Amino acid sequence: GQNISQITDKLKEMRGTSSRRIVRERLKGLEEKGVIRAKGSSRSKEYWLSAEYIEKWYDLLGLGPTKKVDQKKASAADERP
């Protein structure tokens, strides 16, 4: 995970400008939507992608458990005489 300062610094590198206040507001919105999870105290939080969000992207990209199960079924079917 990363804290607000680390995220702000990374955005400055990528975009040339960034505001801790705006980053904090956006992170709060993402947390309310369930995209990220905050861990730590109110003075020292780190932010992580939520497990649900990661699973959705894995499924969307075909990397989730659904694809693995389908591949196992296909492999088993190929091995049959």
Side-chain angles (χ1 to χ4, degrees):
Q2 295 186 339
N3 63 32
I4 291 174
S5 294
Q6 292 168 322
I7 295 168
T8 302
D9 290 343
K10 188 65 174 176
L11 285 169
K12 281 181 184 176
E13 287 176 20
M14 294 172 59
R15 300 183 61 200
T17 182
S18 184
S19 161
R20 284 179 42 85
R21 179 185 59 83
I22 293 172
V23 170
R24 185 174 48 251
E25 290 172 3
R26 299 276 172 94
L27 289 172
K28 183 178 178 184
L30 291 171
E31 188 176 7
E32 289 171 357
K33 291 179 181 179
V35 174
I36 61 172
R37 299 277 183 245
K39 295 180 184 178
S41 69
S42 61
R43 303 266 302 146
S44 175
K45 284 187 184 178
E46 285 193 348
Y47 295 90
W48 304 79
L49 288 174
S50 70
E52 297 85 15
Y53 188 76
I54 292 170
E55 287 175 19
K56 286 180 185 179
W57 274 99
Y58 268 70
D59 288 341
L60 180 68
L61 296 172
L63 302 172
T66 308
K67 181 167 171 98
K68 291 177 186 173
V69 171
D70 291 343
Q71 285 178 343
K72 287 180 183 177
K73 287 179 184 177
S75 294
D78 289 340
E79 292 175 6
R80 291 184 196 149

